[in-house]
Amino acid sequence: MDRSQLLKGLLDIIVLRVLDDEDGYGYEILGRLRRAGFDELGDASVYGTLRRLYRAGHLSTYVLPSESGPHRKYYALTEPGRKHLRHMRDAWEDVSAKMRHLLDAPTKG
Amino acid sequence: MTDATSRTTEIAGYLAAVERHLGDLPEAIRQDLMSDLDAHLAEVAADLDDGVALRDLLGSPEAYARELRETAEVPRERAAARLRRGLRETAAPLTRRVKTWSDRYAVSTGHADAAELVERLRPGWWVARGVIAAMLVVYILSATQYNTYGSLPFDSLSWLLFTAAAVLFFVWVSLRLGRRSQTWGRRRRWWTGAAGIALVVYALYGFAWPYALNYGGNDFVETSYYDETSHITDIQVFDENGEPIDGVYLFDQNGDPLMLGDSWSCFEAEDQYEDPYAQDRFEAEQESRAAATGFPETGLPGAEPDPELGYLYPICDTPAEDPTEGPSEEPTATEDPTPSASEETPTDAEPTEAPTETAGPDGE
């Protein structure tokens, strides 16, 4: 399984976490993820995740004018979104601790 | 300026291509994805350097749509699922109405809703299912035993006892099955329900139609009998000049005699209820056949039918005043028509058409 498949399951937590710092608009959020090292994430993945989280009520949107082009739609975490992020984070901590434990266990022979 | 318009066309083309690849998504999700995608792509394009195409940054529209689909958490629907969804959406108004009616019906009977009523009725259905299964088994067993169908053998004590035992047993099995099925998964319960419906339909078919067709509970129809007459009720033979030819034996491809018309009414028309296969009758025919090898001398109307050679034409004694009337249209003198004969003998024939020598039941 390549990294992008692995990241698909983490898209929610990644996008939510990035937006927890600061509201952002679609393409700019992708830039933040790239800077965080998630190079294999595409624009469609981010956009699709934003729409899905928005549909689920985890995000709200507002529109701001930009000086260089069309209006930009900004996404912000809602209270359920923050809660969702906490849950996802706990789940991730739990899974990653167990994964680390499993992977670090000395192999036989 | 031209740059901006070309960007707009580029975005529009890209959007259309993406939408094409999302065509099978549920309408609501696709609309949601598409409603905002133009604005999003405009945002993206605004940050693009001149000379860099949207494709260069985002990849092909197809790949973009695939990625979008994956993150939108809607797996591509298979054709069967899409068909089911389409049917469900089409039938939605009807199912809603049926639900409203059934709920209203259930409420009027003093239950909370249709679901509760169904819940209460369920054990009753289990009992009914067991009874129907038992009846079917008894019915099939008796049908194979006596070669009859359309009736249940309630006239003998042993069958009655057997039926009672079968009912008790099958009701027990059905109740047990019902109790068990409560804990089953949806799929197994669906199959159980389908089997129950099939049982009811089969029972309706088996029990109802003999009664519906007025076969009556006590009549019986042999499950197999040899139909010795074809569906052709008459054959007229003419020579090349259009003259009718009498005294012809007809055989089929196997050399078997063609049996035409209603044999019973023929014989009875001549011989008033005489059994055509009685011994003396047979002997008389042996004689006439001996005389009739090659050229049947009985070329007269009303010639003796030979049971082995089939009917000599004309099949029956045709009434002289109305030669077009087929023999089978003569009124039958049969008092107690067997089911096979009654199917072919029109009993509604006018008595006035009866030839004088053919005595009807009222003519005796």
Side-chain angles (χ1 to χ4, degrees), chain B residues 182-205:
Chain B
Q182 296 287 305
T183 58
W184 287 352
R186 199 167 146 217
R187 206 179 172 77
R188 262 175 102 183
R189 287 175 71 168
W190 187 90
W191 278 108
T192 316
I197 290 169
L199 186 76
V200 170
V201 169
Y202 184 74
L204 280 178
Y205 170 77

Side-chain angles (χ1 to χ4, degrees), chain B residues 150-225:
Chain B
S151 69
L152 281 164
F154 285 149
D155 42 358
S156 85
L157 183 66
S158 51
W159 273 107
L160 214 55
L161 285 176
F162 175 74
T163 305
V167 165
L168 278 178
F169 175 72
F170 277 99
V171 167
W172 178 79
V173 168
S174 177
L175 283 171
R176 237 184 120 74
L177 187 74
R179 257 279 185 243
R180 279 272 183 87
S181 68
Q182 296 287 305
T183 58
W184 287 352
R186 199 167 146 217
R187 206 179 172 77
R188 262 175 102 183
R189 287 175 71 168
W190 187 90
W191 278 108
T192 316
I197 290 169
L199 186 76
V200 170
V201 169
Y202 184 74
L204 280 178
Y205 170 77
F207 290 133
W209 76 260
Y211 293 96
L213 292 182
N214 207 13
Y215 271 59
N218 295 322
D219 279 352
F220 69 91
V221 179
E222 287 178 47
T223 45
S224 74
Y225 65 94

